């Protein structure tokens, strides 16, 4: 896999020509930027900036987006900054304008065929995978998420239900069950026409970590992506999951840092 070529393909198809992440969102071109605008439970933010963006243009664009999202009444929005974006000091300019950086993540990509395994391969004994296709499955997925991460899954629950209702063909969600209880969950977003499928989630409750569940969920989703003709799996990986994914065969294309703007209250 040629890293530069895949990064260029990712920038072009997934960022510059991005498609809405959910049925309730819209993608808009705003001068040198591409942004997503949706409801309060959708992701709102900047997904791409022109590689020719200079210092003066960046400052003007930042001010314009603050005005735009503030006028919409959003409590916050995100500028998704990639390590190869320009100008080189764009992160500093975002901080100066009131954005706060969340921890950076690693943009990882792998060829689908290198990861796909038969359904159920690698699962620990006593664990089965349940496809999420209805509200009951979404509830199990939310419960697994809350137990794994210790955070409220209300937003996830809403997003899963919305995807199942409005765009089920471009969405795959799974819950790993053991003894009738959800112990892990994961989802995959399919981006038609791009060649990329995005992996999300993968949280496992503490007592089931280290038994191969994470790898099995990656492999299962890779198999689905392969069946549907996708070339690459993409992950925005935390420091916890990045080493695991690299061992599985993923390659780093760079880092991405969420810069979040929260209006003063």
């Amino acid at each position: 896999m040629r890293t530069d070529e895949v990064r260029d393909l990712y920038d072009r198809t997934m960022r510059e020509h991005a498609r809405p992440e959910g049925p309730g969102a819209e993608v808009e071109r705003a001068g040198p930027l591409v942004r997503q605008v949706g409801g309060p439970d959708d992701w709102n933010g900047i997904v791409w900036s022109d590689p020719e963006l200079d210092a003066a243009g960046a400052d003007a664009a930042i001010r314009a987006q603050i005005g735009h999202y503030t006028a919409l009444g959003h409590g916050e929005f995100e500028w998704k900054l990639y390590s190869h974006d320009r100008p080189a000091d764009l992160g500093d300019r975002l901080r100066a304008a009131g954005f706060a950086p969340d921890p950076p993540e690693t943009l990882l990509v792998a060829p689908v065929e290198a990861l796909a395994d038969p359904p159920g391969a690698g699962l620990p004994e006593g664990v089965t995978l349940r496809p999420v296709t209805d509200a009951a499955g979404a509830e199990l997925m939310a419960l697994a998420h809350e137990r794994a991460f210790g955070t409220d899954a209300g937003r996830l629950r809403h997003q899963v239900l919305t995807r199942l209702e409005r765009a089920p063909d471009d969405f795959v969600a799974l819950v790993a069950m053991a003894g009738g209880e959800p112990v892990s969950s994961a989802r995959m977003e399919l981006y038609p026409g791009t060649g990329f499928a995005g992996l999300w989630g993968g949280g496992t409750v503490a007592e089931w970590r280290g038994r191969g569940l994470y790898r099995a969920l990656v492999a299962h989703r890779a198999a689905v992506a392969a069946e549907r003709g996708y070339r690459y799996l993409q992950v925005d990986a935390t420091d916890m999951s990045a080493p695991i994914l690299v061992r599985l065969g993923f390659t780093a294309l760079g880092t991405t840092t969420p810069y979040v703007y929260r209006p003063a209250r």
Side-chain angles (χ1 to χ4, degrees):
M1 188 176 76
R2 297 179 62 88
T3 302
D4 290 347
E5 291 179 2
V6 177
R7 184 190 296 116
D8 289 344
L9 177 65
Y10 181 86
D11 278 348
R12 185 172 65 255
T13 60
M14 294 289 290
R15 300 183 64 204
E16 184 178 5
H17 299 287
R19 302 184 183 195
E21 287 192 0
E26 295 182 358
V27 170
E28 304 171 342
R29 184 68 183 249
L33 308 177
V34 173
R35 67 190 177 206
Q36 176 168 297
V37 178
D41 289 315
D42 295 310
W43 184 87
N44 288 273
I46 310 305
V47 297
W48 180 84
S49 58
D50 194 306
E52 302 301 320
L53 191 64
D54 59 15
D59 288 340
I62 291 168
R63 289 193 299 270
Q65 298 318 302
I66 291 174
H68 178 78
Y69 283 101
T70 301
L72 292 175
H74 287 303
E76 64 180 50
F77 73 98
E78 178 183 315
W79 190 302
K80 197 170 179 66
L81 179 66
Y82 290 77
S83 51
H84 57 281
D85 285 347
R86 294 292 179 267
D89 64 348
L90 184 52
D92 293 335
R93 295 176 183 278
L94 289 167
R95 286 191 192 91
F99 288 77
D102 284 346
E105 298 175 324
T106 304
L107 173 62
L108 295 171
V109 171
V112 164
E113 67 272 10
L115 297 170
D117 281 342
L123 283 174
E125 185 177 354
V127 176
T128 58
L129 292 184
R130 169 176 170 166
V132 175
T133 59
D134 54 20
E139 193 61 37
L140 288 172
M141 188 173 194
L143 183 57
H145 177 95
E146 290 176 344
R147 290 175 174 174
F149 296 108
T151 57
D152 180 75
R155 185 174 183 179
L156 171 65
R157 185 184 294 105
H158 168 83
Q159 291 174 338
V160 170
L161 289 172
T162 301
R163 296 293 278 155
L164 291 174
E165 178 184 355
R166 302 183 186 178
D169 294 339
D170 300 332
F171 178 74
V172 175
L174 304 162
V175 178
M177 303 292 294
E181 294 294 325
V183 296
S184 186
S185 67
R187 61 194 192 279
M188 177 169 65
E189 296 281 350
L190 303 170
Y191 307 109
T194 69
F196 289 93
L199 302 188
W200 301 89
T204 301
V205 300
E207 58 267 31
W208 279 91
R209 292 172 189 164
R211 304 195 198 184
L213 264 175
Y214 188 91
R215 184 191 185 285
L217 286 166
V218 170
H220 184 92
R221 287 174 288 173
V224 174
E227 289 174 0
R228 302 191 188 185
Y230 287 82
R231 295 177 62 193
Y232 300 107
L233 294 180
Q234 169 264 322
V235 186
D236 292 345
T238 65
D239 289 343
M240 181 180 295
S241 59
I244 302 172
L245 291 164
V246 169
R247 289 197 297 271
L248 293 180
F250 281 77
T251 298
L253 302 185
T255 61
T256 175
T257 303
Y259 278 81
V260 182
Y261 185 84
R262 298 178 176 91
R265 298 185 182 276

